[in-house]
Amino acid sequence: MLLRPRHLSLTLTLLTATRQTCRSFTAYATAMSSDPRPIVRPANVLVLSKDPDDPNNKPVYDALGPSSPLGKITATCATVEDVKGLDPSVLSSVSVLFLAWADADLVAAALSACPSVKWAHSRSAGVEGMVSPTLTSHPCRMTNAKGCFSRTLAEYCMSACGYFAKDFKRLEAQKAEKRWDQYAVKEMSTQTMGVVGYGDIGRACGALAKAYGMRVLALRRDPSLCDGDPVVDAAYGSDGVGEMLAESDYVLVAAPLTAKTRG
């Protein structure tokens, strides 16, 4: 694949391993072919995946197949030993790392072995398991799949709320006993969801909760960022966690895992 500087942000969408991304990238490739500016460097992708056969990586392999004008996969590594076993010429050519549930040791080994890496992209939104001193001190650009899974996680969140509001556990027990007693359920539109970490995922969950008629409370470092947000009924800073929890029927924790949020 041949990258021009202004296309880097668009190229990020390719490595989210989604069908929509691959369709978008086809349109991008067409636009790129008419760009008059000179090509500055090739991009060779090293995939780091604990499961080389992970079907969720398939859209990336398809988009960067042998005949693709978009680029190529130079190798796939599942272990540190796999990285060490690559030919030096392959390692020196790698300019992009695609991280699919790769751990910190594997990422660090690849960064140390590949001197030309300019960009590392995580297929997941969370990157805490990949972080090491080697990564944080490396000059390459690190990106993640922020926003790609927000809608799915929001749907899961509301399913979990419904599990308790409608007492699905009782339904399963009745099913096993072949007994169908009537019982009262809670109406979610009368309830409140508290969101700890009101980022992309938190807001997607809040928006879906609002569609159910729920009251939505947000906890974030800077609550003023929620000013004017039609989803949020009240916003709190970190010192308001107790007040928010007291008002919430359900609490969603969507904060990134950091030294301040761990535990």
Side-chain angles (χ1 to χ4, degrees):
M1 175 178 167
L2 300 177
L3 291 181
R4 298 175 174 86
R6 73 180 177 88
H7 289 128
L8 182 58
S9 61
L10 292 176
T11 311
L12 302 182
T13 59
L14 170 64
L15 301 180
T16 55
T18 63
R19 290 184 178 86
Q20 181 179 359
T21 292
C22 292
R23 289 197 298 268
S24 300
F25 202 79
T26 300
Y28 153 70
T30 301
M32 185 180 71
S33 63
S34 60
D35 192 325
R37 289 180 294 179
I39 293 165
V40 293
R41 63 179 174 85
N44 298 316
V45 181
L46 174 62
V47 176
L48 303 182
S49 178
K50 281 296 185 181
D51 179 8
D53 298 320
D54 186 343
N56 293 306
N57 291 335
K58 187 176 184 299
V60 172
Y61 291 129
D62 290 346
L64 298 177
S67 61
S68 173
L70 306 179
K72 67 178 182 179
I73 303 291
T74 58
T76 299
C77 295
T79 66
V80 172
E81 288 69 28
D82 290 342
V83 174
K84 293 179 178 179
L86 292 177
D87 188 274
S89 64
V90 173
L91 294 171
S92 64
S93 72
V94 172
S95 55
V96 176
L97 299 182
F98 176 66
L99 315 177
W101 308 116
D103 62 30
D105 290 340
L106 180 55
V107 175
L111 288 173
S112 299
C114 303
S116 300
V117 171
K118 299 295 189 295
W119 172 33
H121 179 74
S122 168
R123 197 186 77 187
S124 61
V127 298
E128 61 277 354
M130 307 173 189
V131 176
S132 68
T134 301
L135 176 60
T136 55
S137 63
H138 198 279
C140 74
R141 175 169 295 187
M142 176 73 186
T143 59
N144 66 351
K146 177 182 178 181
C148 290
F149 309 107
S150 299
R151 182 70 186 187
T152 297
L153 291 172
E155 292 174 358
Y156 178 84
C157 174
M158 297 312 300
S159 296
C161 293
Y163 177 88
F164 293 103
K166 310 307 178 187
D167 200 353
F168 285 175
K169 187 175 182 179
R170 178 171 179 167
L171 285 176
E172 289 295 325
Q174 288 190 2
K175 178 181 177 182
E177 297 169 3
K178 297 182 179 180
R179 179 172 52 86
W180 309 108
D181 298 335
Q182 294 184 352
Y183 66 96
V185 297
K186 296 178 180 178
E187 186 174 340
M188 293 171 64
S189 63
T190 66
Q191 297 185 304
T192 298
M193 175 183 289
V195 181
V196 179
Y198 193 74
D200 198 86
I201 292 172
R203 192 181 191 285
C205 294
L208 202 51
K210 183 63 69 174
Y212 275 69
M214 298 178 70
R215 185 166 176 254
V216 176
L217 310 179
L219 182 81
R220 64 189 309 174
R221 285 176 295 182
D222 184 359
S224 68
L225 294 175
C226 291
D227 292 350
D229 190 328
V231 171
V232 178
D233 293 286
Y236 303 86
S238 55
D239 58 346
V241 60
E243 183 180 353
M244 191 202 75
L245 292 177
E247 295 187 42
S248 301
D249 296 287
Y250 307 96
V251 177
L252 166 71
V253 179
L257 184 59
T258 67
K260 291 184 178 181
T261 61
R262 188 182 297 273

